[in-house]
Amino acid sequence: MRRRAADYRRPVRRRLSCWIWSLLGIFSIVGFVLFVVHHHHDHEDHVEQPVSERESRNEQVVHERMNLTQEMLSVNSYARQIAEQTTLAKAYIIIAKEHNNLHLAWELSTKIRSCQLLLSKAAMRDEPISLDEAEPNIRSLSSLILKAQDAHYDIATTMMTMKSHIQALEERANAASVQSMMFGQLTAESLPKKLHCLEMKLMADWLTKKSLQDFADERRNSPRLVDNNLYHFCIFSDNLLAVSVVINSTVANADHPKQLVFHIVTDSIHYGVMLAWFLNNDFKGSTVEVQNIDNFTWLNSSYSPAVKQLMSTDSRKYYFDGSEDTGVEPKFRNPKYIYLLNHLRFYIPEIYPQLEKIVFLDDDVVVQKDLTPLFSLDLHGNVNGAVETCLEAFHRYYKYLNFSNPLISSKFDPQACGWAFGMNVFDLIAWRKASVTSRYHYWIEQNADRTIWKLGTLPPGLLAFYGMTEPLDRRWHVLGLGYDVNVDNRLIESAAVIHFNGNMKPWLKLRINRYRPLWERYVNQTHPHLQDCATH
């Protein structure tokens, strides 16, 4: 075939092919560039998003305070994990010590202190524990716990050991509680040294000053002591300063103090002390009588089953030995309940046979208002006027008496409202008519084995005066100042009589300081003997 001339060949086709390849190359380069740029932007987006989320979370941590309690309750919190591991580690410390593995116990103790320090720091800075902080502590403590388990301290051993330790701690706690009650009771029964000093000085006065004894003989037969036109109060106590405060406060708040007569009965030890004090002090014209219980020859075991029981060997062993029944609380062994002065309140008509009405006051009360209106109250034929206590913490009959005894359950309402001794107005005419003292004797005999009530004068009082007690306005008598630190101030201010019932008497160091001034203002601190003994 003849070759074409150069002018007739197809150069256009060759040029088109080059152009196409050039375009393809350009597109490839552009596509690569676009891919790189797109990939770079995607990477920036993925990086910037978590950073911004982290920043937002950090800002939240900065602005929100951590609640450590919620942290400890949270299942996922590091604080809770550390606390739980610490508790387990403490158990293994006890077991390690029992097995004489002191090195392991030391390692566990060291790591526990480190964990406790971390928890304290977290609480101080109000921020949760981070993973970086928690991880080394959790890991090392877990390693030690596994080491303890490998040393045969398995879960069963741990549980048995901890159970025995819990029982031992409970026994120690119970023993400490009983011991605390006994010490508190002992403190309440003990006479402070400074008051003992006062009594010694007064006894010296009584024994050395015959003029005091002559004066006492002159006052003994005063017609005022049996005058029913006057207002009579009785107090049975061996606490000189306490009785003095009762009389001082009653006289200070009386509209007509010269019409008041106070009848004190004490024991032979304090008889001279009381006379020396009350004969040498002025009470705004009121009359004060002091009697010795040993002179009540009629109050003997043949007449009174209470005296018979109190003098019995079994009773003294029960109150003073304490080994007969370990289930009885220490307060139920208080020897004051075997003290006859505490039971004289049931013999008031016999002690004062010529009186018709009298107000009984405990020696741990303070009078804040005139009490003479009590004598004109209508008791509606009842013997005892008293403030009911069932409004103050469930003081009903079933709390004082054994209603499983058919003798009690058949005669008394378990929901009947209790009332308080401490400030009581007694109609002695109605008392004698109803033979209340005989009723008291009956219930004392029925309780010879202490199955109806354990001790005290209130339970037999609830029985003897059942159906014969007139409820008084509670403002006449406010209780609780010897054990309750939260008595309402308004109630105290409105009260005619406030009562320091309980172990925390105002003349003791074991007292509630908030109420101390209410009692102390009626202490005659100008008396030379009081100043010498510095009882205030």
Side-chain angles (χ1 to χ4, degrees):
M1 179 181 291
R2 190 174 59 186
R3 186 179 179 84
R4 290 184 182 180
D7 295 336
Y8 295 97
R9 294 177 185 173
R10 295 185 285 193
V12 177
R13 187 176 179 180
R14 186 177 295 171
R15 285 197 297 271
L16 180 61
S17 177
C18 294
W19 181 75
I20 290 172
W21 283 105
S22 299
L23 287 176
L24 288 172
I26 293 169
F27 282 135
S28 298
I29 293 170
V30 171
F32 178 77
V33 171
L34 290 173
F35 173 80
V36 171
V37 171
H38 179 69
H39 179 73
H40 178 68
H41 281 298
D42 285 346
H43 178 70
E44 286 182 344
D45 290 341
H46 285 295
V47 172
E48 287 175 3
Q49 185 176 358
V51 169
S52 95
E53 287 178 0
R54 258 199 321 270
E55 288 175 352
S56 127
R57 283 198 299 269
N58 288 340
E59 287 176 1
Q60 193 174 8
V61 169
V62 170
H63 293 293
E64 291 184 5
R65 295 173 66 85
M66 181 196 72
N67 187 319
L68 186 60
T69 302
Q70 292 179 354
E71 277 287 303
M72 296 297 287
L73 294 175
S74 174
V75 177
N76 299 319
S77 75
Y78 297 124
R80 175 168 176 168
Q81 294 180 45
I82 292 174
E84 288 175 347
Q85 282 196 315
T86 300
T87 302
L88 185 58
K90 288 178 180 178
Y92 281 122
I93 287 176
I94 296 172
I95 300 172
K97 287 181 178 179
E98 287 185 348
H99 289 77
N100 206 30
N101 194 342
L102 301 182
H103 180 69
L104 177 58
W106 177 82
E107 287 183 307
L108 288 166
S109 299
T110 303
K111 187 49 61 179
I112 286 172
R113 285 195 295 271
S114 176
C115 291
Q116 289 173 336
L117 180 61
L118 179 58
L119 290 171
S120 298
K121 287 181 178 179
M124 292 291 291
R125 73 191 183 201
D126 289 338
E127 291 181 8
I129 298 172
S130 67
L131 176 60
D132 293 338
E133 293 173 312
E135 186 176 10
N137 287 281
I138 292 174
R139 182 174 295 161
S140 57
L141 197 54
S142 297
S143 175
L144 287 173
I145 290 172
L146 287 173
K147 183 178 178 181
Q149 290 175 347
D150 290 340
H152 307 294
Y153 307 142
D154 56 10
I155 297 299
T157 304
T158 304
M159 289 177 65
M160 292 299 295
T161 303
M162 292 308 297
K163 184 177 179 180
S164 65
H165 277 282
I166 289 171
Q167 290 175 345
L169 287 171
E170 286 178 348
E171 291 174 2
R172 288 172 61 186
N174 291 336
S177 177
V178 170
Q179 192 176 49
S180 175
M181 290 179 65
M182 292 180 67
F183 285 152
Q185 197 70 55
L186 183 63
T187 304
E189 295 162 16
S190 301
L191 182 69
K193 182 173 68 174
K194 293 175 182 178
L195 295 185
H196 183 70
C197 163
L198 174 63
E199 291 187 355
M200 291 298 99
K201 288 181 176 294
L202 289 170
M203 179 57 74
D205 288 347
W206 174 252
L207 294 174
T208 58
K209 297 179 179 179
K210 190 175 183 303
S211 58
L212 279 177
Q213 299 180 23
D214 293 339
F215 189 32
D217 291 338
E218 292 176 11
R219 299 278 296 271
R220 189 167 288 120
N221 297 316
S222 171
R224 292 173 57 85
L225 300 177
V226 294
D227 187 349
N228 282 298
N229 293 315
L230 301 177
Y231 303 106
H232 297 265
F233 300 85
C234 61
I235 310 164
F236 309 134
S237 173
D238 61 355
N239 188 322
L240 169 68
L241 205 56
V243 174
S244 179
V245 167
V246 175
I247 294 177
N248 279 338
S249 61
T250 306
V251 167
N253 292 285
D255 293 338
H256 304 287
K258 292 183 179 181
Q259 297 181 11
L260 307 184
V261 180
F262 296 94
H263 303 269
I264 303 170
V265 180
T266 189
D267 56 26
S268 56
I269 296 173
H270 296 87
Y271 177 65
V273 171
M274 292 276 189
L275 281 172
W277 177 268
F278 289 106
L279 290 175
N280 268 335
N281 285 278
D282 176 59
F283 297 96
K284 296 186 176 181
S286 62
T287 301
V288 180
E289 176 195 33
V290 180
Q291 295 188 77
N292 184 351
I293 191 173
D294 289 350
N295 292 332
F296 299 161
T297 54
W298 52 268
L299 188 59
N300 51 53
S301 57
S302 61
Y303 168 66
S304 168
V307 174
K308 184 177 180 180
Q309 288 184 21
L310 293 175
M311 297 298 105
S312 70
T313 304
D314 289 343
S315 292
R316 293 185 173 276
K317 183 179 179 182
Y318 178 82
Y319 287 112
F320 291 101
D321 185 2
S323 59
E324 183 180 343
D325 185 2
T326 56
V328 179
E329 294 182 33
K331 69 177 182 178
F332 291 151
R333 297 193 184 280
N334 189 344
K336 79 175 184 179
Y337 295 111
I338 206 171
Y339 200 29
L340 192 54
L341 281 176
N342 204 45
H343 295 261
L344 282 186
R345 64 195 68 188
F346 294 103
Y347 298 97
I348 293 175
E350 285 87 344
I351 299 171
Y352 311 109
Q354 293 176 284
L355 297 183
E356 298 175 354
K357 187 170 283 190
I358 199 167
V359 169
F360 166 77
L361 296 173
D362 260 336
D363 64 0
D364 54 353
V365 306
V366 171
V367 177
Q368 300 187 131
K369 298 186 186 302
D370 184 20
L371 296 186
T372 55
L374 284 169
F375 292 84
S376 58
L377 287 179
D378 186 358
L379 299 182
H380 300 98
N382 289 307
V383 177
N384 172 29
V387 170
E388 293 183 331
T389 55
C390 52
L391 296 177
E392 309 174 1
F394 54 81
H395 292 163
R396 297 186 181 274
Y397 269 49
Y398 72 90
K399 287 291 180 179
Y400 300 99
L401 304 168
N402 178 16
F403 273 84
S404 64
N405 187 315
L407 193 62
I408 297 298
S409 59
S410 63
K411 296 178 181 292
F412 301 96
D413 177 9
Q415 295 296 329
C417 196
W419 44 267
F421 270 132
M423 195 290 298
N424 306 78
V425 52
F426 292 121
D427 184 334
L428 300 184
I429 295 175
W431 183 315
R432 297 180 185 102
K433 184 177 180 181
S435 301
V436 173
T437 302
S438 297
R439 294 176 62 171
Y440 166 69
H441 285 169
Y442 169 79
W443 288 113
I444 289 292
E445 290 172 339
Q446 297 303 313
N447 193 49
D449 56 0
R450 304 183 193 91
T451 57
I452 298 178
W453 72 89
K454 289 295 182 184
L455 56 71
T457 53
L458 182 57
L462 296 176
L463 298 174
F465 291 101
Y466 186 72
M468 294 183 290
T469 297
E470 179 71 15
L472 304 181
D473 189 308
R474 65 186 310 211
R475 289 174 295 182
W476 278 112
H477 185 192
V478 170
L479 299 102
L481 279 73
Y483 67 89
D484 186 357
V485 298
N486 295 314
V487 180
D488 193 329
N489 279 330
R490 293 169 297 181
L491 200 57
I492 292 174
E493 291 171 2
S494 66
V497 173
I498 53 175
H499 196 165
F500 291 83
N501 57 312
N503 284 341
M504 304 173 78
K505 303 299 185 186
W507 55 84
L508 301 174
K509 289 184 178 180
L510 180 72
R511 61 176 179 258
I512 300 174
N513 288 326
R514 173 190 164 199
Y515 308 132
R516 165 81 174 183
L518 299 172
W519 181 87
E520 197 171 37
R521 71 178 65 165
Y522 295 108
V523 176
N524 182 10
Q525 297 178 354
T526 62
H527 194 283
H529 289 343
L530 275 172
Q531 291 179 343
D532 291 343
C533 295
T535 56
H536 59 286

